[in-house]
C-alpha cells in the first residue's frame, strides 16, 4: 500500500461521452453550503456543456458549445470568467443524438414524452431542445452573502423572467429517482435565448416548435468538495434534503 | 454535435487513487434486480481492492491486492473467476494511509472512532483493518434463482459464520448519508481470514489488536447497467429503498 493519494493528472471525463460529471450535490445547497468550491475553468476541462450556479447561488449558469453564460437577478446574460467559483455544477461532453421534433407542447408534457421516447427513467441523460418557445418562464436567485441561508429561505429571493416567441436552447439533465438528493430527481433545465434576451432556470415553458436531442450516460462522476471545512463538518442527517430540493427546484422537479 | 456515444477506451479509474468506482447500486438489489451486469474481470480493470456480490446474491466477494475471493453459503473461501457476473460491486485502487492501531474494541465503537479520526462523515472513504479479531460474525446470502425475490425476502436466507481469535483483513467502505440508496450510508464491510477459515459480510466483530488504514475519495464513479431491460423498466418510486437497505444490511448499516 503506497503512502499518498494520487492527484488527477487529466480530466476524468476526457474523451468520454458516456459520462456525466457533477461537482457538489443539491443536498449541499439545502442547508446553505453555498461557498464556491470549484471554478468555471475547472468545469470546462470536464465538459463543453452544462448547468450550475455561482457562489451564494449567484445566478443561473448554462454552458453551450464550450461557452459559459450566467443570468443574474437583472436578467442580463453575461459571459462567465474562468475564475468564477461555484458550489454546484453538472457538465458533460456533448454527443447528442436526434430524438424527434415536437410542436405546441407544454414543459411537463414535453418532459414526460422525452423520458418515454428514451425509455430510460432509471438512467442519467441530457436533453437539448432547440427551437421557438411561445412561452418561457425562468428564474434567477439573488446572490446570497455568508453566513448563507438555507435553500428554503432563499426560495423567495428570486427574480422571475417571462419571454414570448423566443428562439433559444433549453439544456436539461434527467436524474433517476434513486439519486434524489445528490441531484434533482427528474429534470433540471436551464435556458438561453439566441439573442440573450432571456435565460435562467426554467420554471415553465411552451415549445412552439423545436428539435429534441438526447445523450444517455452510463456513468455519473460525482466530485465532492472534501477539503471544504463547512462541508466536512456539516451534519446532513438533520436536513430534510429530499423535500427541500423538490420544493425549491420548482415546477420542473418531479 | 456528433452522432454517436463514445465507448470507454480505458478504465475510468486508471491511475486514480482519489476515485471510488461502483457498479450498480444497493437500490437495485432492494426490488430484486439481481442479474449479473458486470464481470469480475471488468471490475479488476477498475481497481485492485473491493467488495461486492454475485448474480442472485451469490456469495460475498472481497478483493484484496488484486485477488478476488468469494464466500458462499458453505463458508468455503474460493477464488473468483474473471467471467463471474455481478449486479453490485465497489472497487478502488489501494493507496491507504496509516491511521492508528487499536485494541480490544467492538465493531460499532471501532467504526465510530474511524469516522471521528478521519473527520469526514460526508466523504466516501475505504478502511482496512488488519489484525487479530477475538470475535468475528459474518454472513453469506444463499444464491437466489430468477425470478428474483426482493432484498427483504432474502434477508433470512443467509448462512451465519462465527470465528474466534482469527487473523485477517476487514475491508470496508464508508458512504455519506446523502448517498443512502446508491450505497449503504455508513460502513459496508467484508472480511477475509488469513487462513481462509472464515469470510463474508461482517455483522459484528471485536478487534483484539490491529492496524487501521484509510483512503479518502473525492470522487464517486457510479456506473449503472443502463442496457439491462429489468433495470431500465423497473419503477423505483414504489420501493422503500432507504428503509429496506438499512434493514437488510444488518448491524453495520447506520
Amino acid at each position: 500500500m503506497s503512502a499518498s493519494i494520487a492527484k488527477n493528472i487529466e480530466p476524468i471525463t476526457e474523451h468520454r461521452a458516456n459520462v456525466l460529471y457533477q461537482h457538489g450535490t443539491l443536498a449541499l445547497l439545502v442547508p446553505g453550503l453555498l461557498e464556491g468550491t470549484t471554478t468555471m475553468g475547472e468545469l470546462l476541462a470536464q465538459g463543453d456543456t452544462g448547468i450550475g450556479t455561482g457562489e451564494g447561488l449567484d445566478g443561473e449558469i448554462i454552458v453551450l458549445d464550450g461557452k459559459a453564460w450566467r443570468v443574474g437577478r437583472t436578467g442580463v446574460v453575461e459571459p462567465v470568467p474562468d475564475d468564477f467559483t461555484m458550489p454546484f455544477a453538472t457538465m458533460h461532453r456533448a454527443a447528442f443524438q436526434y430524438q424527434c421534433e415536437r410542436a405546441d407542447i407544454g414543459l411537463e408534457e414535453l418532459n414526460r414524452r422525452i423520458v418515454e421516447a428514451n425509455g430510460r427513467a432509471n438512467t442519467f441523460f441530457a436533453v437539448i431542445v432547440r427551437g421557438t418557445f411561445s412561452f418561457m418562464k425562468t428564474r434567477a436567485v439573488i446572490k446570497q452573502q455568508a453566513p448563507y441561508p438555507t435553500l428554503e429561505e432563499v426560495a423567495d429571493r428570486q427574480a422571475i423572467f417571462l419571454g414570448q416567441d423566443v428562439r433559444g436552447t433549453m439544456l436539461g439533465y434527467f436524474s433517476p429517482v434513486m439519486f434524489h438528493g445528490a441531484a434533482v430527481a427528474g429534470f433540471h433545465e436551464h435556458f438561453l435565448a439566441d439573442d440573450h434576451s432571456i435565460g435562467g432556470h426554467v420554471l415553465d415553458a411552451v415549445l412552439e416548435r423545436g428539435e429534441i436531442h438526447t445523450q444517455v450516460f452510463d456513468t455519473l462522476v460525482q466530485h465532492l468538495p472534501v477539503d471544504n471545512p463547512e462541508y466536512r463538518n456539516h451534519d446532513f442527517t438533520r436536513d430534510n434534503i429530499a423535500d427541500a430540493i423538490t420544493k425549491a427546484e420548482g415546477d420542473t422537479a418531479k
Side-chain angles (χ1 to χ4, degrees), chain A residues 52-103:
Chain A
T53 186
E55 176 165 283
L57 301 177
D58 185 13
E60 309 286 342
I61 311 291
I62 186 168
V63 181
L64 295 171
D65 300 321
K67 293 206 177 81
W69 304 96
R70 175 185 155 278
V71 178
R73 64 183 170 81
T74 63
V76 174
V77 176
E78 294 175 312
V80 181
D82 278 358
D83 62 356
F84 185 77
T85 66
M86 301 166 66
F88 178 71
T90 303
M91 300 286 297
H92 82 281
R93 297 196 179 281
F96 287 89
Q97 292 187 296
Y98 177 74
Q99 189 182 84
C100 66
E101 193 175 295
R102 294 226 182 263

Side-chain angles (χ1 to χ4, degrees), chain A residues 7-207:
Chain A
K7 292 284 172 197
N8 278 4
I9 295 160
E10 55 179 53
I12 195 163
T13 57
E14 191 88 354
H15 311 307
R16 297 174 196 274
N18 60 322
V19 169
L20 177 65
Y21 179 88
Q22 188 168 277
H23 172 82
T25 71
L26 270 161
L28 270 70
L29 308 185
V30 171
L33 298 170
L34 305 183
E35 201 176 321
T37 45
T38 189
T39 64
M40 195 69 248
E42 286 170 347
L43 291 167
L44 286 169
Q46 301 289 351
D48 53 17
T49 305
I51 62 176
T53 186
E55 176 165 283
L57 301 177
D58 185 13
E60 309 286 342
I61 311 291
I62 186 168
V63 181
L64 295 171
D65 300 321
K67 293 206 177 81
W69 304 96
R70 175 185 155 278
V71 178
R73 64 183 170 81
T74 63
V76 174
V77 176
E78 294 175 312
V80 181
D82 278 358
D83 62 356
F84 185 77
T85 66
M86 301 166 66
F88 178 71
T90 303
M91 300 286 297
H92 82 281
R93 297 196 179 281
F96 287 89
Q97 292 187 296
Y98 177 74
Q99 189 182 84
C100 66
E101 193 175 295
R102 294 226 182 263
D104 301 319
I105 186 166
L107 182 64
E108 195 171 331
E109 178 69 7
L110 175 64
N111 283 343
R112 201 183 62 71
R113 295 270 193 102
I114 290 168
V115 175
E116 199 178 86
N118 235 16
R120 293 168 183 269
N122 296 325
T123 68
F124 290 92
F125 65 84
V127 58
I128 269 192
V129 182
R130 283 190 206 276
T132 302
F133 294 81
S134 53
F135 175 68
M136 176 57 65
K137 179 183 179 182
T138 65
R139 72 112 189 271
V141 175
I142 296 167
K143 186 181 180 182
Q144 305 298 307
Q145 302 296 334
Y148 295 116
T150 66
L151 195 62
E152 211 160 351
E153 288 165 346
V154 174
D156 292 333
R157 302 173 192 173
Q158 57 185 23
I160 302 284
F161 309 109
L162 300 178
Q164 267 184 306
D165 301 323
V166 55
R167 281 196 58 82
T169 302
M170 183 169 77
L171 168 64
Y173 290 93
F174 179 90
S175 302
V177 65
M178 76 178 90
F179 289 90
H180 194 57
V184 187
F187 286 96
H188 184 179
E189 290 159 320
H190 285 195
F191 181 74
L192 184 66
D194 287 352
D195 62 4
H196 290 194
S197 60
I198 178 172
H201 177 103
V202 178
L203 293 177
D204 197 7
V206 178
L207 177 66

